[in-house]
Amino acid sequence: MTDLKSVDTDELLEIIQELFGIELKEYCPDDEHYYYGVVVDGGIDEEQGGAECIEDVLDDSQQQQLNEYLASRGLVYP
């Protein structure tokens, strides 16, 4: 079995943009909690909402595709 390589948050965001054409960005609307939101026209799409976990911004099929992509390359996101 091969060793898994951990990807950091920036790498994961790049992979998501490459796979799905979705640009995600970290933002802090209340100076207390950090969220990931979808970038539209250079700003966060607050109507779509954000999530504290990157994976929660994606729908189920996108999460599955992302997991398969990472697994096929021996990558893991902690």
Side-chain angles (χ1 to χ4, degrees):
M1 185 172 160
T2 60
D3 291 331
L4 294 176
K5 178 183 181 286
S6 183
V7 295
D8 66 23
T9 300
D10 289 338
E11 289 172 309
L12 188 66
L13 294 177
E14 285 178 23
I15 290 168
I16 289 171
Q17 186 164 4
E18 184 180 310
L19 285 178
F20 309 117
I22 299 171
E23 182 181 355
L24 297 178
K25 187 174 185 179
E26 189 176 50
Y27 69 104
C28 183
D30 57 11
D31 294 329
E32 193 171 316
H33 299 93
Y34 283 89
Y35 297 95
Y36 292 93
V38 177
V39 175
V40 176
D41 295 330
I44 300 292
D45 181 4
E46 303 222 11
E47 281 184 28
Q48 187 164 340
E52 290 187 58
C53 291
I54 292 173
E55 292 84 355
D56 291 345
V57 179
L58 305 174
D59 65 28
D60 289 343
S61 69
Q62 289 171 328
Q63 285 183 30
Q64 181 67 30
Q65 278 183 272
L66 178 61
N67 290 337
E68 289 171 2
Y69 177 92
L70 293 174
S72 72
R73 284 157 179 78
L75 303 173
V76 64
Y77 181 67

